[in-house]
Amino acid sequence: MDFLLIHLLNSLLFASVLFLTAGGLSLIYGVMRIVNLAHGNLYAFGAYVTAWAIGGVLAGAPTPLLYLLLPAGAVAAALLGAALEPTLLRPFYKRAEEYQLLVTFGLLMILEDLMRLLWGPYPLSASALWENSGSVTISGNPYPNYNLVVIAIGLVAAVFLWAFVYKTKFGVVLRATSQDMRMASALGIDVNRVYVQAFTLGCFMAGLGGAMIVPRDSAVLGMGVDALVLAFIVVVIGGLGSLEGALAGALIVGVVRELGITFFAEIELAVLYLIAVLVLLARPAGLFGRP
Amino acid sequence: MGEVNRRDFLSTLGVSVGTALSATAGAALPVVGVAHAQEKPKGNIPDTPFKIGHMTFFSGPAAVLGEPMYRGQLLASEEINAQGGLLGKRKIEVLKADENAGTDANVKELRRLKLSEKIDFFCGITSSGNTPALGPVAEELKLLTIFVDGCTDLLFDKAVPNPHYIFRVTNMQSADGVTAAVAAAQTWPKAKKIAHIHPDYSYGRNAFDHWTITFKKLMPQAENVSEGWPKLGTTDFSSHITKAIASKPDLLATSVWGGDYVAFYKQALRYGMFSKMKVASMIAFGVAPHAIGKDHPEGIIAGVHSNYHFTYPAGDRWPYNKTFVEKYNKRFNEYPNFQAEGGYTATYLLKSAIERANKLAGGWPEDDAIIAMLEGLMMAAPAGYVYIRPDNHQGYKDAVTGFSKNVAEYPFPVLDPDRIITIPIRNITAPPGWPKGEPTSTYTWIDKTWPKVKA
């Protein structure tokens, strides 16, 4: 029982990062009806930028300053998203979905090579933040403080996002466009602007997920694809296009993964897919999806 | 089999601890060292370049462990070229291929290297996931190959049971799990509860199996209380670490490697794991030495894949190592790991076999002549004597491991020079002629021939 709280915190930690990546993927799909296969690499891009900033450029700076720079990766991913949507994605909205999949898949590969070109083939680490943050004692066992920071950022991001989508005028416009793009357009909403804003926000979330995790994990090539697969499991469970679904899916996956590792070590990798299969059988559109 | 005392049995295994150089029976065999002076070749030798295809991890978390094997081969090739090339004529060209592309892509790349680039020799490979796929293809292409690593027993037990063109230089994988377990049994004989964290693929499974069978014999009082099987390449071990700590073990056995291990130990430090249990790793110090920080805990069994650590054999007692480390450090401004030694030694094994074949027949030897010379070849390499067994084309050298320690001379931890553990390889691997077993020949050999010691 000593470890119940630690297991719970581990689950929340995993869920926090998952929610940010899967939430971004879902938001973009909800508004623009695009399955962005390059989404995982925007997460990786955020991780690389933050690792580069706090592990390379400002290595040795005091810890509070490093914390301030943590979101650098999120901002960079958002800027990249803001540039990509109008140039690369917009010409393909009127085409069949296959084209969008091909374009975003191509983007996935280009981004992977771009990161290799910019930051080299080796893992890029920013572990000072992880190492300097120390541990707190939870029922006699040390627990890394940095994990608590990540969980807190995840919670704040979820609340902020909910307020943004449900309590602001921009949120109303976003939801209106999501429900009926033609009608929104007829009512005078600048759909192109909403699209670029939604895409930028989605990329910001992915980049933030990568930036938060990099002090613990270091940035490595291929991390984007792994994150994409996990994000897909979350949105399959929660329902593609739904932020509530992404939150519920992330929490379910976080808890199930922890239970899987603890009690079914032999099939750790399979457990998440089994959950997704069960949800698909019971509710093909996901828990919060619109059938 | 009568009852045997643990300490007596360990001494029959020849396990030695300390600075002494372990004795090997090999001195009686005709032994040549790396970089020995070359006799004048016989016959006409063409001066076309000798092309080597070298595949290892040049990117991703595995690169800190795998890439040095390329540097080892490059260093040996440059030394050979400085003397005019193989047989004084054929300069070596090394072509690189990135193993990180994935097994299917690696198989295609191997075919391309042979068919389009017309390589004469294939070398490299880090992952045990790749040799069982590449080995049969190299045989099919009739491509002379020395794998540096990818040391799964499966390759010569099952995938290519009767190899002709392919060889492998670093110790067989089963030796790794056995070495770590023997070292742990000797160091912490009272340990009862064992936790495991291994990557979930052939290497991790192999390490777990051989540790477990060795402990069944040497530590009958011990039991496995926790298992964690993270995906290879993962950098998040929070849950596996928590599970291991929660099982309150005396000892953790782990075969997590490369960049994964670097992330693992940094995370485990913040969870206070190292203060709650002893740790024995098969391959913690297998990475390039500078990849591990001074924050790494001391006193854990920090394995080097049972192959080689650059600090051993030390000093002037084994000049092959001293000069290798000096040259490698001068050339690359870093210290070699076991893969660098493997790549270097593989190149010199090839050179030696080519020269022997030339001495017999003259001219540039056929591949079959080189193969016949490689079979049964023994050579003094930086790590010690390495022997290529003729029946399974596998390299054998005495196994080595030790304890992590920070010393003033290096900016990273090394193996404690006063507590190096060595084990004669013949005592921990199945002998020639032992029937192929499940999961490995070494496993069934230990199971059937080792006594169970008194608890």
Side-chain angles (χ1 to χ4, degrees):
Chain A
M1 283 306 281
D2 301 355
F3 289 89
L4 193 64
L5 189 55
I6 289 184
H7 282 307
L8 197 65
L9 287 171
N10 283 344
S11 312
L12 280 175
L13 172 74
F14 198 69
S16 295
V17 180
L18 263 188
F19 167 67
L20 284 171
T21 47
L25 186 71
S26 222
L27 178 82
I28 290 169
Y29 179 82
V31 176
M32 305 160 66
R33 302 286 143 187
I34 273 199
V35 178
N36 180 18
L37 293 177
H39 193 71
N41 277 5
L42 283 144
Y43 160 88
F45 187 74
Y48 266 103
V49 169
T50 290
W52 169 74
I54 70 179
V57 181
L58 281 161
T63 308
L65 183 65
L66 294 184
Y67 269 111
L68 278 179
L69 273 167
L70 197 60
V75 174
L79 290 174
L80 183 61
L84 286 175
E85 195 277 337
T87 51
L88 207 60
L89 297 181
R90 197 169 289 169
F92 290 94
Y93 291 142
K94 294 203 174 91
R95 303 251 194 125
E97 278 172 2
E98 293 86 340
Y99 289 92
Q100 299 167 3
L101 288 175
L102 273 177
V103 166
T104 56
F105 185 67
L107 185 59
L108 177 157
M109 308 232 260
I110 291 169
L111 286 178
E112 186 83 16
D113 276 353
L114 181 73
M115 287 184 276
R116 189 182 172 132
L117 202 67
L118 288 175
W119 291 294
Y122 304 115
L124 206 60
S125 89
S127 55
L129 211 47
W130 167 262
E131 285 163 20
N132 296 345
S133 298
S135 299
V136 64
T137 302
I138 295 175
S139 42
N141 293 293
Y143 193 77
N145 282 331
Y146 187 79
N147 285 359
L148 302 175
V149 174
V150 172
I151 294 169
I153 297 176
L155 287 175
V156 169
V159 170
F160 167 82
L161 213 63
W162 173 80
F164 194 63
V165 172
Y166 290 98
K167 299 288 168 190
T168 65
K169 182 159 177 264
F170 174 74
V172 175
V173 171
L174 199 69
R175 282 181 288 140
T177 313
S178 158
Q179 277 173 16
D180 192 333
M181 186 266 276
R182 283 165 192 283
M183 180 62 86
S185 181
L187 289 170
I189 291 172
D190 182 349
V191 172
N192 278 343
R193 221 177 95 186
V194 175
Y195 274 15
V196 74
Q197 284 163 337
F199 194 76
T200 304
L201 181 61
C203 292
F204 178 87
M205 290 168 71
L208 185 61
M212 289 195 317
I213 213 62
V214 78
R216 188 197 66 183
D217 284 15
S218 73
V220 296
L221 292 172
M223 69 186 291
V225 174
D226 289 348
L228 180 72
V229 172
L230 282 171
F232 269 122
I233 296 177
V234 169
V235 295
V236 159
I237 292 172
L240 195 54
S242 154
L243 276 178
E244 298 91 330
L247 185 61
L251 287 170
I252 290 171
V253 168
V255 170
V256 167
R257 178 175 177 274
E258 189 75 15
L259 289 173
I261 289 173
T262 308
F263 297 110
F264 311 102
E266 286 286 324
I267 52 164
E268 176 196 324
L269 300 179
V271 166
L272 296 182
Y273 297 96
L274 289 175
I275 286 291
V277 167
L278 287 180
V279 170
L280 279 180
L281 285 174
R283 286 182 66 98
L287 297 175
F288 291 82
R290 285 171 292 185
Chain B
M1 254 171 280
E3 289 230 304
V4 186
N5 172 290
R6 180 185 296 113
R7 188 176 299 167
D8 292 343
F9 182 61
L10 283 171
S11 76
T12 69
L13 282 184
V15 180
S16 72
V17 186
T19 51
L21 198 63
S22 64
T24 313
L29 288 160
V31 172
V32 292
V34 293
H36 72 289
Q38 194 177 324
E39 289 171 39
K40 196 173 156 26
K42 290 202 320 201
N44 281 333
I45 312 298
D47 58 1
T48 45
F50 184 87
K51 283 188 174 180
I52 298 180
H54 186 104
M55 184 184 286
T56 187
F57 285 95
F58 288 103
S59 64
V64 285
L65 184 132
E67 187 173 351
M69 76 170 61
Y70 167 72
R71 303 212 175 102
Q73 179 145 66
L74 195 64
L75 179 63
S77 304
E78 287 170 358
E79 287 172 11
I80 293 166
N81 287 347
Q83 296 176 354
L86 292 165
L87 296 179
K89 286 275 196 161
R90 297 190 70 179
K91 292 267 168 69
I92 298 175
E93 272 178 24
V94 188
L95 309 179
K96 292 160 70 168
D98 191 353
E99 191 178 344
N100 205 27
T103 303
D104 291 348
N106 292 341
V107 168
K108 285 188 193 134
E109 178 63 10
L110 173 61
R111 287 186 191 281
R112 193 193 69 80
L113 283 169
K114 167 70 181 170
L115 300 174
S116 303
E117 304 284 351
K118 309 257 188 296
I119 54 170
D120 300 284
F121 174 67
F122 183 67
C123 197
I125 301 301
T126 299
S127 171
S128 290
N130 288 323
T131 42
L134 294 171
V137 178
E139 287 286 341
E140 176 202 318
L141 293 170
K142 302 189 190 311
L143 175 59
L144 184 59
T145 296
I146 300 181
F147 291 122
V148 173
D149 191 14
C151 59
T152 175
D153 301 51
L154 184 76
L155 175 63
F156 294 128
D157 270 5
K158 294 197 195 88
V160 187
N162 297 300
H164 183 67
Y165 289 95
I166 65 172
F167 293 81
R168 184 167 56 195
V169 67
T170 54
N171 271 338
M172 190 118 75
Q173 199 161 70
S174 47
D176 211 12
V178 180
T179 300
V182 167
Q186 187 183 48
T187 313
W188 300 300
K190 294 205 169 70
K192 284 198 176 65
K193 292 159 75 181
I194 318 298
H196 289 268
I197 298 180
H198 303 283
D200 193 5
Y201 80 117
S202 90
Y203 175 59
R205 296 276 164 186
N206 182 298
F208 174 79
D209 286 345
H210 291 88
W211 169 288
T212 303
I213 186 67
T214 306
F215 257 43
K216 203 176 113 190
K217 298 293 184 177
L218 294 181
M219 304 274 279
Q221 83 284 8
E223 56 166 339
N224 292 336
V225 293
S226 164
E227 290 174 30
W229 295 100
K231 177 170 158 290
L232 176 65
T234 193
T235 44
D236 171 17
F237 296 95
S238 313
S239 311
H240 305 96
I241 291 167
T242 301
K243 183 186 181 188
I245 295 173
S247 70
K248 299 192 167 51
D250 303 311
L251 176 58
L252 172 83
T254 179
S255 58
V256 172
W257 60 273
D260 299 12
Y261 179 73
V262 178
F264 170 76
Y265 91 77
K266 283 186 184 290
Q267 287 168 30
L269 275 174
R270 288 291 152 290
Y271 278 87
M273 192 192 83
F274 292 102
S275 61
K276 288 178 187 288
M277 64 195 76
K278 307 293 183 194
V279 175
S281 152
M282 287 84 194
I283 190 171
F285 282 8
V287 289
H290 58 264
I292 306 278
K294 283 266 190 189
D295 58 341
H296 188 278
E298 295 191 286
I300 77 158
I301 292 176
V304 287
H305 212 23
S306 71
N307 271 285
Y308 168 79
H309 190 269
F310 77 93
T311 55
Y312 183 85
D316 292 323
R317 278 174 304 161
W318 193 255
Y320 294 115
N321 189 37
K322 190 182 176 186
T323 51
F324 168 64
V325 173
E326 280 170 4
K327 284 187 210 164
Y328 189 92
N329 185 246
K330 195 169 159 225
R331 174 69 175 83
F332 303 110
N333 200 25
E334 62 182 55
Y335 290 93
N337 70 347
F338 77 93
Q339 303 284 34
E341 197 270 348
Y344 186 79
T345 301
T347 317
Y348 274 105
L349 280 167
L350 174 77
K351 173 178 184 276
S352 179
I354 290 172
E355 285 168 6
R356 282 160 187 248
N358 168 268
K359 203 192 264 180
L360 285 177
W364 184 264
E366 298 285 320
D367 279 354
D368 278 351
I370 301 174
I371 289 164
M373 292 298 122
L374 275 171
E375 289 177 339
L377 186 61
M378 190 168 202
M379 198 170 74
Y385 295 114
V386 58
Y387 169 61
I388 304 293
R389 222 169 80 178
D391 64 319
N392 65 355
H393 286 195
Q394 167 68 41
Y396 289 82
K397 62 171 170 285
D398 290 349
V400 58
T401 187
F403 300 85
S404 55
K405 188 178 188 184
N406 284 321
V407 296
E409 296 100 291
Y410 300 106
F412 45 77
V414 295
L415 293 186
D416 183 347
D418 298 326
R419 296 169 75 198
I420 295 281
I421 296 177
T422 57
I423 311 169
I425 194 68
R426 65 174 185 277
N427 290 342
I428 55 168
T429 45
W434 186 265
K436 310 277 183 200
E438 193 63 44
T440 70
S441 304
T442 295
Y443 186 97
T444 55
W445 172 76
I446 291 175
D447 197 24
K448 290 192 178 130
T449 68
W450 286 26
K452 204 174 211 172
V453 304
K454 277 184 286 187

